[in-house]
Amino acid sequence: MIAHLKGRLDATGIDHAVVDVGGVGYLVGASTRTLASIGPVGEAVMLHTEMLVAEDFIRLVGFATASERDWFRLLTGVQGVGARVALAILSALDPAELSRAIAAQDKAMVARANGVGPKLAERIVRELKDKIGGVAIGGASPIVPSGAGADAVSAMLNLGFRPAEANAAVASAEEELGIGATLDALVRLALRKAAK
């Protein structure tokens, strides 16, 4: 198992990079987000990797962050999500956005990725919700509301919502209503979002 590659970035393509490690060029599949963040060709690079082994191929997939790799593992654990679809999702959403989308059960946000239809998006948010719970995956910190938002989270908790659900619903409500939203408005909208 190859956990990471450290070397020189030899080339990049639409969906891959070639990393030269001691004279050996490793072809590594990657999301557009990773490819955009690893730096220019010819420079030193370090990629976290996941090795995919099947009957007819061995493939390396690389990630700029351990958090992105952790999400790739979670996504490919969902039935119907292969490496290509997982990379498309990670190209469309960063780990923090993906965490918020799963916690808020926001199917439309996940469906923005190429190759992800409404049914698959629904399966992804449903299956991963219990797996991520309120835990931050690989350094993707959840948004913790403050002020009226913190009071709204407290109200949601008192109504029996789990911390991850309450935080996600209130964060989504705050994003929609803006910074000056009242406690009453935040709780009402957060309740509607949590009920979806």
Side-chain angles (χ1 to χ4, degrees):
M1 189 74 152
I2 299 173
H4 71 266
L5 291 176
K6 263 187 191 173
R8 183 174 49 82
L9 184 61
D10 234 13
T12 58
I14 294 172
D15 62 353
H16 68 276
V18 177
V19 180
D20 184 314
V21 181
V24 177
Y26 290 89
L27 180 70
V28 184
S31 70
T32 55
R33 192 174 300 280
T34 288
L35 291 171
S37 69
I38 57 176
V41 171
E43 295 294 316
V45 67
M46 197 285 275
L47 290 174
H48 300 273
T49 58
E50 184 73 6
M51 189 184 320
L52 308 176
V53 180
E55 200 172 295
D56 54 347
F57 72 85
I58 295 175
R59 182 174 176 211
L60 273 178
V61 183
F63 309 94
T65 65
S67 172
E68 191 182 10
R69 182 196 56 211
D70 294 344
W71 271 108
F72 178 83
R73 290 174 177 164
L74 281 172
L75 287 165
T76 54
V78 174
Q79 181 187 349
V81 179
R84 201 172 299 255
V85 171
L87 287 175
I89 293 169
L90 290 168
S91 292
L93 303 169
D94 69 31
E97 291 170 326
L98 191 49
S99 186
R100 282 196 301 275
I102 301 292
Q105 295 287 279
D106 189 345
K107 302 176 288 256
M109 193 168 188
V110 176
R112 288 187 347 206
N114 288 337
V116 180
K119 286 183 180 176
L120 183 56
E122 184 174 355
R123 185 182 312 136
I124 290 167
V125 296
R126 188 180 62 243
E127 286 187 24
L128 294 184
K129 179 159 183 147
D130 294 332
K131 289 185 180 175
I132 68 162
V135 179
I137 307 282
S141 12
I143 293 179
V144 179
S146 58
D151 293 338
V153 169
S154 178
M156 299 281 287
L157 293 174
N158 289 336
L159 291 170
F161 287 90
R162 292 186 309 202
E165 292 172 317
N167 271 318
V170 171
S172 181
E174 273 190 320
E175 193 173 299
E176 191 172 316
L177 295 172
I179 296 171
T182 65
L183 174 60
D184 185 55
L186 278 174
V187 172
R188 284 177 195 271
L189 185 55
L191 284 169
R192 283 202 303 275
K193 289 187 173 291
K196 284 183 183 176

PDB file of all heavy atoms in Angstrom, residues 72-90:
ATOM      1  N   PHE A  72     -12.746  10.720   0.063  1.00  0.00           N
ATOM      2  CA  PHE A  72     -12.744   9.794  -1.076  1.00  0.00           C
ATOM      3  C   PHE A  72     -13.086   8.386  -0.588  1.00  0.00           C
ATOM      4  O   PHE A  72     -13.904   7.688  -1.195  1.00  0.00           O
ATOM      5  CB  PHE A  72     -11.368   9.816  -1.759  1.00  0.00           C
ATOM      6  CG  PHE A  72     -11.244   8.855  -2.906  1.00  0.00           C
ATOM      7  CD1 PHE A  72     -11.697   9.200  -4.167  1.00  0.00           C
ATOM      8  CD2 PHE A  72     -10.655   7.605  -2.731  1.00  0.00           C
ATOM      9  CE1 PHE A  72     -11.578   8.315  -5.239  1.00  0.00           C
ATOM     10  CE2 PHE A  72     -10.527   6.719  -3.788  1.00  0.00           C
ATOM     11  CZ  PHE A  72     -10.990   7.074  -5.044  1.00  0.00           C
ATOM     12  N   ARG A  73     -12.471   7.992   0.519  1.00  0.00           N
ATOM     13  CA  ARG A  73     -12.742   6.657   1.075  1.00  0.00           C
ATOM     14  C   ARG A  73     -14.200   6.512   1.487  1.00  0.00           C
ATOM     15  O   ARG A  73     -14.829   5.483   1.237  1.00  0.00           O
ATOM     16  CB  ARG A  73     -11.841   6.399   2.280  1.00  0.00           C
ATOM     17  CG  ARG A  73     -10.386   6.204   1.911  1.00  0.00           C
ATOM     18  CD  ARG A  73      -9.523   6.092   3.141  1.00  0.00           C
ATOM     19  NE  ARG A  73      -8.126   5.835   2.778  1.00  0.00           N
ATOM     20  CZ  ARG A  73      -7.109   5.994   3.606  1.00  0.00           C
ATOM     21  NH1 ARG A  73      -7.315   6.395   4.855  1.00  0.00           N
ATOM     22  NH2 ARG A  73      -5.893   5.729   3.217  1.00  0.00           N
ATOM     23  N   LEU A  74     -14.750   7.542   2.134  1.00  0.00           N
ATOM     24  CA  LEU A  74     -16.156   7.500   2.539  1.00  0.00           C
ATOM     25  C   LEU A  74     -17.073   7.431   1.318  1.00  0.00           C
ATOM     26  O   LEU A  74     -18.013   6.642   1.281  1.00  0.00           O
ATOM     27  CB  LEU A  74     -16.515   8.738   3.372  1.00  0.00           C
ATOM     28  CG  LEU A  74     -16.103   8.730   4.837  1.00  0.00           C
ATOM     29  CD1 LEU A  74     -16.348  10.102   5.449  1.00  0.00           C
ATOM     30  CD2 LEU A  74     -16.853   7.662   5.613  1.00  0.00           C
ATOM     31  N   LEU A  75     -16.789   8.270   0.328  1.00  0.00           N
ATOM     32  CA  LEU A  75     -17.647   8.320  -0.857  1.00  0.00           C
ATOM     33  C   LEU A  75     -17.637   6.999  -1.624  1.00  0.00           C
ATOM     34  O   LEU A  75     -18.683   6.521  -2.054  1.00  0.00           O
ATOM     35  CB  LEU A  75     -17.207   9.463  -1.783  1.00  0.00           C
ATOM     36  CG  LEU A  75     -17.535  10.872  -1.294  1.00  0.00           C
ATOM     37  CD1 LEU A  75     -16.748  11.918  -2.072  1.00  0.00           C
ATOM     38  CD2 LEU A  75     -19.036  11.136  -1.383  1.00  0.00           C
ATOM     39  N   THR A  76     -16.460   6.398  -1.786  1.00  0.00           N
ATOM     40  CA  THR A  76     -16.388   5.151  -2.553  1.00  0.00           C
ATOM     41  C   THR A  76     -16.979   3.980  -1.781  1.00  0.00           C
ATOM     42  O   THR A  76     -17.203   2.915  -2.347  1.00  0.00           O
ATOM     43  CB  THR A  76     -14.940   4.824  -2.997  1.00  0.00           C
ATOM     44  OG1 THR A  76     -14.089   4.826  -1.850  1.00  0.00           O
ATOM     45  CG2 THR A  76     -14.452   5.815  -4.041  1.00  0.00           C
ATOM     46  N   GLY A  77     -17.281   4.181  -0.502  1.00  0.00           N
ATOM     47  CA  GLY A  77     -17.959   3.154   0.291  1.00  0.00           C
ATOM     48  C   GLY A  77     -19.460   3.131   0.038  1.00  0.00           C
ATOM     49  O   GLY A  77     -20.162   2.212   0.465  1.00  0.00           O
ATOM     50  N   VAL A  78     -19.974   4.137  -0.667  1.00  0.00           N
ATOM     51  CA  VAL A  78     -21.401   4.213  -0.992  1.00  0.00           C
ATOM     52  C   VAL A  78     -21.644   3.446  -2.288  1.00  0.00           C
ATOM     53  O   VAL A  78     -20.924   3.635  -3.270  1.00  0.00           O
ATOM     54  CB  VAL A  78     -21.852   5.687  -1.157  1.00  0.00           C
ATOM     55  CG1 VAL A  78     -23.296   5.771  -1.630  1.00  0.00           C
ATOM     56  CG2 VAL A  78     -21.670   6.444   0.148  1.00  0.00           C
ATOM     57  N   GLN A  79     -22.653   2.586  -2.287  1.00  0.00           N
ATOM     58  CA  GLN A  79     -22.968   1.797  -3.480  1.00  0.00           C
ATOM     59  C   GLN A  79     -23.250   2.720  -4.662  1.00  0.00           C
ATOM     60  O   GLN A  79     -24.009   3.684  -4.554  1.00  0.00           O
ATOM     61  CB  GLN A  79     -24.183   0.917  -3.211  1.00  0.00           C
ATOM     62  CG  GLN A  79     -24.559   0.055  -4.388  1.00  0.00           C
ATOM     63  CD  GLN A  79     -25.857  -0.698  -4.184  1.00  0.00           C
ATOM     64  OE1 GLN A  79     -26.387  -0.734  -3.078  1.00  0.00           O
ATOM     65  NE2 GLN A  79     -26.371  -1.283  -5.236  1.00  0.00           N
ATOM     66  N   GLY A  80     -22.609   2.437  -5.791  1.00  0.00           N
ATOM     67  CA  GLY A  80     -22.821   3.236  -6.989  1.00  0.00           C
ATOM     68  C   GLY A  80     -21.827   4.371  -7.161  1.00  0.00           C
ATOM     69  O   GLY A  80     -21.834   5.071  -8.167  1.00  0.00           O
ATOM     70  N   VAL A  81     -20.951   4.570  -6.155  1.00  0.00           N
ATOM     71  CA  VAL A  81     -19.948   5.634  -6.253  1.00  0.00           C
ATOM     72  C   VAL A  81     -18.574   4.999  -6.454  1.00  0.00           C
ATOM     73  O   VAL A  81     -18.011   4.408  -5.541  1.00  0.00           O
ATOM     74  CB  VAL A  81     -19.917   6.519  -4.985  1.00  0.00           C
ATOM     75  CG1 VAL A  81     -18.850   7.604  -5.123  1.00  0.00           C
ATOM     76  CG2 VAL A  81     -21.273   7.150  -4.739  1.00  0.00           C
ATOM     77  N   GLY A  82     -18.086   5.109  -7.678  1.00  0.00           N
ATOM     78  CA  GLY A  82     -16.748   4.616  -7.975  1.00  0.00           C
ATOM     79  C   GLY A  82     -15.736   5.733  -7.837  1.00  0.00           C
ATOM     80  O   GLY A  82     -16.082   6.868  -7.466  1.00  0.00           O
ATOM     81  N   ALA A  83     -14.494   5.434  -8.159  1.00  0.00           N
ATOM     82  CA  ALA A  83     -13.421   6.427  -8.025  1.00  0.00           C
ATOM     83  C   ALA A  83     -13.688   7.663  -8.874  1.00  0.00           C
ATOM     84  O   ALA A  83     -13.494   8.795  -8.432  1.00  0.00           O
ATOM     85  CB  ALA A  83     -12.084   5.797  -8.419  1.00  0.00           C
ATOM     86  N   ARG A  84     -14.178   7.462 -10.104  1.00  0.00           N
ATOM     87  CA  ARG A  84     -14.407   8.594 -11.009  1.00  0.00           C
ATOM     88  C   ARG A  84     -15.467   9.548 -10.455  1.00  0.00           C
ATOM     89  O   ARG A  84     -15.301  10.767 -10.471  1.00  0.00           O
ATOM     90  CB  ARG A  84     -14.845   8.049 -12.371  1.00  0.00           C
ATOM     91  CG  ARG A  84     -14.642   8.993 -13.512  1.00  0.00           C
ATOM     92  CD  ARG A  84     -14.923   8.300 -14.823  1.00  0.00           C
ATOM     93  NE  ARG A  84     -14.021   7.170 -15.034  1.00  0.00           N
ATOM     94  CZ  ARG A  84     -13.001   7.181 -15.878  1.00  0.00           C
ATOM     95  NH1 ARG A  84     -12.784   8.235 -16.603  1.00  0.00           N
ATOM     96  NH2 ARG A  84     -12.213   6.144 -16.018  1.00  0.00           N
ATOM     97  N   VAL A  85     -16.570   8.990  -9.957  1.00  0.00           N
ATOM     98  CA  VAL A  85     -17.647   9.820  -9.402  1.00  0.00           C
ATOM     99  C   VAL A  85     -17.179  10.513  -8.118  1.00  0.00           C
ATOM    100  O   VAL A  85     -17.443  11.698  -7.902  1.00  0.00           O
ATOM    101  CB  VAL A  85     -18.928   8.982  -9.146  1.00  0.00           C
ATOM    102  CG1 VAL A  85     -19.960   9.777  -8.368  1.00  0.00           C
ATOM    103  CG2 VAL A  85     -19.513   8.516 -10.468  1.00  0.00           C
ATOM    104  N   ALA A  86     -16.445   9.781  -7.266  1.00  0.00           N
ATOM    105  CA  ALA A  86     -15.934  10.383  -6.025  1.00  0.00           C
ATOM    106  C   ALA A  86     -15.027  11.566  -6.344  1.00  0.00           C
ATOM    107  O   ALA A  86     -15.110  12.618  -5.695  1.00  0.00           O
ATOM    108  CB  ALA A  86     -15.189   9.337  -5.196  1.00  0.00           C
ATOM    109  N   LEU A  87     -14.171  11.422  -7.357  1.00  0.00           N
ATOM    110  CA  LEU A  87     -13.288  12.532  -7.742  1.00  0.00           C
ATOM    111  C   LEU A  87     -14.088  13.700  -8.318  1.00  0.00           C
ATOM    112  O   LEU A  87     -13.744  14.863  -8.099  1.00  0.00           O
ATOM    113  CB  LEU A  87     -12.225  12.065  -8.739  1.00  0.00           C
ATOM    114  CG  LEU A  87     -11.120  11.184  -8.144  1.00  0.00           C
ATOM    115  CD1 LEU A  87     -10.186  10.675  -9.240  1.00  0.00           C
ATOM    116  CD2 LEU A  87     -10.334  11.918  -7.071  1.00  0.00           C
ATOM    117  N   ALA A  88     -15.169  13.391  -9.042  1.00  0.00           N
ATOM    118  CA  ALA A  88     -16.017  14.462  -9.582  1.00  0.00           C
ATOM    119  C   ALA A  88     -16.659  15.251  -8.434  1.00  0.00           C
ATOM    120  O   ALA A  88     -16.742  16.484  -8.474  1.00  0.00           O
ATOM    121  CB  ALA A  88     -17.093  13.884 -10.487  1.00  0.00           C
ATOM    122  N   ILE A  89     -17.100  14.531  -7.395  1.00  0.00           N
ATOM    123  CA  ILE A  89     -17.702  15.205  -6.230  1.00  0.00           C
ATOM    124  C   ILE A  89     -16.661  16.063  -5.535  1.00  0.00           C
ATOM    125  O   ILE A  89     -16.915  17.218  -5.171  1.00  0.00           O
ATOM    126  CB  ILE A  89     -18.309  14.172  -5.258  1.00  0.00           C
ATOM    127  CG1 ILE A  89     -19.516  13.477  -5.908  1.00  0.00           C
ATOM    128  CG2 ILE A  89     -18.712  14.825  -3.933  1.00  0.00           C
ATOM    129  CD1 ILE A  89     -20.021  12.262  -5.152  1.00  0.00           C
ATOM    130  N   LEU A  90     -15.445  15.513  -5.361  1.00  0.00           N
ATOM    131  CA  LEU A  90     -14.385  16.269  -4.684  1.00  0.00           C
ATOM    132  C   LEU A  90     -13.864  17.418  -5.539  1.00  0.00           C
ATOM    133  O   LEU A  90     -13.262  18.351  -5.017  1.00  0.00           O
ATOM    134  CB  LEU A  90     -13.242  15.321  -4.285  1.00  0.00           C
ATOM    135  CG  LEU A  90     -13.613  14.346  -3.164  1.00  0.00           C
ATOM    136  CD1 LEU A  90     -12.562  13.256  -3.029  1.00  0.00           C
ATOM    137  CD2 LEU A  90     -13.810  15.076  -1.839  1.00  0.00           C
TER     138      LEU A  90
END
